[in-house]
Amino acid sequence: GVSAYLSSGFHKDTGLNASLVPHSTYFAFLYADDGDKVFDIHKDKQLPLYNGPAKTYGTYYVVQFKTK
């Protein structure tokens, strides 16, 4: 799934359009838009994610989603 376009800055409880299966593991990745405001895995640049408590950077994190 992919979220709507997000401007730079802090975002919390961001909606995601995806078909999720309960009790499954999902990974979150962060990409910088190339300026067209449309996600393209081949053109947009993957960015590192910061884990504050561990003080580390990584390319992805395991995340939990609340399903509706």
Side-chain angles (χ1 to χ4, degrees):
V2 176
S3 72
Y5 174 79
L6 301 171
S7 60
S8 62
F10 180 79
H11 296 273
K12 182 178 178 183
D13 298 330
T14 301
L16 181 69
N17 186 10
S19 298
L20 304 178
V21 178
H23 310 292
S24 295
T25 301
Y26 295 93
F27 299 87
F29 298 85
L30 180 64
Y31 283 82
D33 185 68
D34 65 353
D36 64 1
K37 297 185 179 180
V38 175
F39 177 68
D40 185 323
I41 197 167
H42 302 289
K43 294 183 351 182
D44 297 334
K45 181 181 177 183
Q46 186 177 0
L47 301 174
L49 293 165
Y50 181 68
N51 180 338
K55 297 182 181 177
T56 59
Y57 287 90
T59 56
Y60 69 89
Y61 283 100
V62 175
V63 295
Q64 293 179 330
F65 293 95
K66 292 181 183 177
T67 57
K68 291 184 178 184

